[in-house]
Each structure stands twice: as C-alpha cells, then as structure tokens.
Amino acid sequence: SAELLRVDPARLRSLAAAVAADPLAAAQAIQRSRLTVEAGEPLALELRAFLQSVRGAGEGAASARGGRAALEVAAAVRRAMKERAAGWAARANVAS
C-alpha cells in the first residue's frame, strides 16, 4: 500500500486569503488516504479488470466519463505538439 495525496482545487481557491497570510493553510485542501495496490503484473491486472467490467462483474479501471476526459487531454496534447512542431518547421525554413 501507499499514501495517496489529493488536492481539492475548489477548497484551495476558497482558502486563498488564508494561504496568502500563511502558506501552511493550504494543507487544509489536501486529502490523505491509503492506496492499496494489488499484487501482480500491471497490464494483466488492467486487462482482468476490463474483462470483468465487460461481463458486468465489476467496475473497470476508469469510468466512461474518466476515459473520455483522458482522451480529450491526449487529443489536446497531440494538437499542441503538432502546432509546436509546425512552428519549429516554419522557423527552420525562414532561417535557411
């Protein structure tokens, strides 16, 4: 097992004045919990969880909403990388 720390962004924003006066006040927005990690090879565990969810025998590793959000982030990262690469190519063509 391991310790998992999560920051509640809304709580942190609500503490802005207190944090300005005392940065340690930000600790109030941190949630601490134990994370239990199942023994086994990670990909095999992920596939087993997926198959169980498809069979209706449990939840998958992520919700459909979480999966969609992850895909949106990945797509945004990919777009940004392509835009940056295009900018570098354009600068290289101007310099030569």
Side-chain angles (χ1 to χ4, degrees):
S1 71
E3 189 170 26
L4 176 66
L5 300 175
R6 291 185 180 169
V7 176
D8 180 347
R11 175 85 171 122
L12 189 57
R13 281 190 296 276
S14 73
L15 294 167
V19 171
D22 177 14
L24 293 178
Q28 296 174 45
I30 299 173
Q31 301 163 346
R32 181 177 285 171
S33 61
R34 294 300 288 165
L35 177 65
T36 302
V37 179
E38 187 177 338
E41 197 281 320
L43 182 56
L45 295 171
E46 184 177 340
L47 289 172
R48 184 171 67 213
F50 172 74
L51 291 173
Q52 287 175 338
S53 70
V54 168
R55 294 179 184 128
E59 293 184 16
S63 66
R65 181 174 281 130
R68 183 177 182 92
L71 286 174
E72 289 172 359
V73 169
V77 168
R78 186 170 181 180
R79 277 192 305 275
M81 290 173 65
K82 284 184 175 184
E83 290 171 8
R84 180 167 283 192
W88 287 338
R91 282 188 290 243
N93 289 336
V94 169
S96 54

